[in-house]
Amino acid sequence: MPSQPEQWNAVDEYFADVFVGSDRALEAALRASEAAGLPAIQVTPNQGKLLHLFARMIGARNVLEVGTLGGYSTIWLARALPEDGRVITLEIDAKHAAVARANFERAGVAGKIDLKLGAALDILPSLQGPFDLAFIDADKQNNPDYFNWALKLSRPGGVIIIDNVVRDGSVLEAGSNDPTIVGVRKVNEMTGSEQRVSATAIQMVGAKGWDGFSLALVVS
Ligand code: SAH
Ligand code: DHB
Ligand code: MG
């Protein structure tokens, strides 16, 4: 039976119902982000839960996120951490940061999150690792630099996750001059050939269309 995007969405929603359920803080964060006019490009509920589970699976205490938006993924990650755990999340846009900070307060996780406002590449050199998990989800043309920083700041056994590595299949456009496609392809090649990590990538269909993420385990 051929499948259709509407069915992919329906299955994604069904999984969100069954595995995530209703969550007041996360739903309030989405409503506040939408009301403030932020683009709805946060991870889906199912992907947010997956990030949360990855963090718990490795017993993460220190998480780095590049690209906060309204803090939806940040809340999922913060909830995975012990009381003294921290997410450092980097955001260039002051309006996004203000919405995110209010969302963190409402969700009761503000104490676990350190949002740093500025261009990620300006802030990353000042950060103190090691991080257990890094989630890279900002401007895609800088993905190669973000990956290098995440690797430098990760502990062995840590995990680096890069969002949006499929982008409706545009990742296959080898000759593209689009800086986002160039950045995504370059970081995939770097991640795949880097001897200090073991990695794979997963494509997904669902509420946010056709996209995916890569996951790299830092082995040394
Ligand atoms: N991780 C979020 C979505 C992030 S969207 C979630 O899933 O909920 C990407 C964010 O990266 C946007 O808010 C954008 O303003 C931010 N961004 C773009 N360029 C950046 C840069 N150079 N430094 C830091 N943040 C950046
Ligand atoms: C875009 C960015 C994202 O991080 C995402 O998950 C989806 C879309 C974007 O810039 O269009
Ligand atoms: Mg993303």
Side-chain angles (χ1 to χ4, degrees):
M1 187 175 72
S3 71
Q4 298 291 327
E6 307 84 71
Q7 293 173 291
W8 303 339
N9 291 349
V11 171
D12 207 15
E13 280 170 26
Y14 160 74
F15 282 158
D17 280 350
V18 171
F19 294 110
V20 180
S22 76
D23 186 310
R24 292 176 69 136
L26 288 169
E27 285 156 19
L30 292 181
R31 274 197 305 275
S33 299
E34 191 184 359
L38 271 50
I41 56 174
Q42 68 282 338
V43 294
T44 61
N46 284 309
Q47 194 186 349
K49 180 85 178 265
L50 185 64
L51 291 171
H52 170 90
L53 292 173
F54 285 146
R56 286 175 61 183
M57 284 160 69
I58 62 165
R61 307 179 75 85
N62 290 299
V63 170
L64 169 66
E65 178 177 69
V66 184
T68 316
L69 191 63
Y72 183 81
S73 54
T74 326
I75 294 170
W76 272 115
L77 288 164
R79 285 176 171 181
L81 308 185
E83 270 316 309
D84 60 347
R86 280 287 172 285
V87 184
I88 296 181
T89 184
L90 312 182
E91 175 55 55
I92 199 170
D93 185 308
K95 179 177 159 186
H96 296 182
V99 173
R101 286 193 169 112
N103 285 337
F104 300 155
E105 290 291 340
R106 243 191 319 267
V109 292
K112 291 186 192 174
I113 299 171
D114 180 3
L115 189 162
K116 295 185 186 296
L117 181 62
L121 287 177
D122 292 341
I123 300 168
L124 285 162
S126 71
L127 297 185
Q128 191 96 42
F131 292 97
D132 306 300
L133 186 150
F135 180 49
I136 298 174
D137 190 23
D139 52 325
K140 312 310 172 191
Q141 70 268 26
N142 285 319
N143 273 350
D145 288 332
Y146 297 151
F147 176 72
N148 280 332
W149 276 109
L151 189 54
K152 202 182 172 78
L153 292 167
S154 291
R155 67 161 168 90
V159 165
I160 301 169
I161 298 161
I162 305 178
D163 198 26
N164 310 116
V165 299
V166 176
R167 295 214 138 212
D168 291 312
S170 63
V171 67
L172 294 181
E173 292 168 21
S176 175
N177 297 317
D178 178 336
T180 69
I181 296 174
V182 173
V184 169
R185 286 182 59 84
K186 176 102 189 287
V187 84
N188 285 337
E189 284 150 26
M190 286 166 65
T191 309
S193 60
E194 170 58 58
Q195 295 301 303
R196 288 170 291 174
V197 307
S198 182
T200 191
I202 295 291
Q203 59 181 329
M204 305 182 292
V205 291
K208 293 287 156 77
W210 177 27
D211 212 328
F213 64 91
S214 68
L215 183 146
L217 176 67
V218 180
V219 292
S220 67

